Amino acid sequence: MNGIFDKITSVNNLFAAWREFRRGKRGKYDVQCFERELENNIFELHEDLINGCYRHGSYKRFCVYDPKYRVIHKASVRDRLLHHAIVRIITPIFERSFIYDSYSCRRGKGTHAALRRLELFSRRVSHNYTQPCFALKIDVRKFFDSVDHEILLNILAQRIPCPLTNGLLAEIVNSYSQTKIALGGGSPNW
């Protein structure tokens, strides 16, 4: 019954998630601080998870221009490590239901794969670039801020038959809300 939760919270999965998480981030100060006490940090996270004591921390707010202005809310390294550990286990449950041409945050996809696919379609539709073709790029404004948490958690619960995992997912999903962020919070009091 708790097989998914046990897989997520296993020490082996947490260490594997760490190896994936740290790629390209080893020069970041917060990642270096976490890594200095890596074993202690991972075992402490593991204990908090299996004892039901884990609480998602608050978010650090900052702005980037890439190329447009965006406000980012970043979780702590500890919380992001857990996010990776969860994704490692639950991705296979959801991967089959995703449309093929969804490229964000998927293994073997990404920006370069999306561009290759766009080029393939453009060449086909334009008959080797001899006729005009059009592509529509859209971005849903503040998409994550507008996701209804209750609906999302219900969808997750339908696909994941593990109450402990669903409780953990609820802890993470509910740790972020515009109201908490606006008030300077980000960590709920459960």
Side-chain angles (χ1 to χ4, degrees):
M1 178 127 147
N2 297 328
I4 295 172
F5 184 80
D6 292 342
K7 288 177 185 176
I8 290 169
T9 61
S10 76
V11 172
N12 286 340
N13 186 50
L14 293 172
F15 274 103
W18 172 256
R19 287 188 295 276
E20 291 174 6
F21 168 78
R22 74 177 182 187
R23 279 190 209 125
K25 299 179 187 80
R26 292 187 88 177
K28 303 285 184 183
Y29 179 74
D30 56 346
V31 174
Q32 291 173 350
C33 289
F34 191 90
E35 193 164 38
R36 269 189 221 120
E37 296 291 326
L38 181 62
E39 287 186 14
N40 289 338
N41 287 330
I42 287 183
F43 281 107
E44 182 181 300
L45 175 58
H46 171 74
E47 289 296 318
D48 285 352
L49 288 164
I50 63 173
N51 292 326
C53 301
Y54 172 79
R55 295 296 174 262
H56 197 284
S58 60
Y59 293 84
K60 179 181 175 189
R61 181 184 186 274
F62 61 96
C63 302
V64 296
Y65 297 87
D66 70 342
K68 66 179 183 177
Y69 174 80
R70 294 187 329 156
V71 177
I72 305 293
H73 296 94
K74 181 172 89 169
S76 70
V77 170
R78 180 180 200 249
D79 294 330
R80 289 184 287 150
L81 165 61
L82 177 58
H83 302 170
H84 276 258
I86 292 168
V87 167
R88 287 176 46 78
I89 303 304
I90 70 169
T91 292
I93 296 169
F94 293 94
E95 188 67 34
R96 291 180 304 253
S97 64
F98 295 156
I99 63 170
Y100 182 83
D101 287 313
S102 174
Y103 291 89
S104 181
C105 301
R106 291 175 68 194
R107 200 173 292 273
K109 298 284 185 160
T111 305
H112 296 293
L115 286 171
R116 285 190 299 273
R117 186 79 164 161
L118 175 62
E119 182 179 357
L120 173 82
F121 284 135
S122 297
R123 184 174 294 142
R124 186 178 298 162
V125 169
S126 69
H127 300 282
N128 286 329
Y129 307 114
T130 61
Q131 296 178 6
C133 73
F134 301 92
L136 173 65
K137 179 187 179 219
I138 61 171
D139 187 11
V140 178
R141 185 173 182 258
K142 297 190 177 186
F143 174 76
F144 290 107
D145 294 344
S146 66
V147 171
D148 184 300
H149 291 185
E150 187 175 339
I151 293 171
L152 173 60
L153 291 170
N154 284 332
I155 291 169
L156 292 170
Q158 289 172 8
R159 301 291 297 274
I160 299 172
C162 175
L164 288 174
T165 301
N166 287 311
L168 180 58
L169 294 172
E171 170 71 25
I172 293 168
V173 168
N174 290 326
S175 72
Y176 179 85
S177 78
Q178 278 305 100
T179 305
K180 289 179 198 154
I181 299 300
L183 296 174
S187 184
N189 297 322
W190 279 280

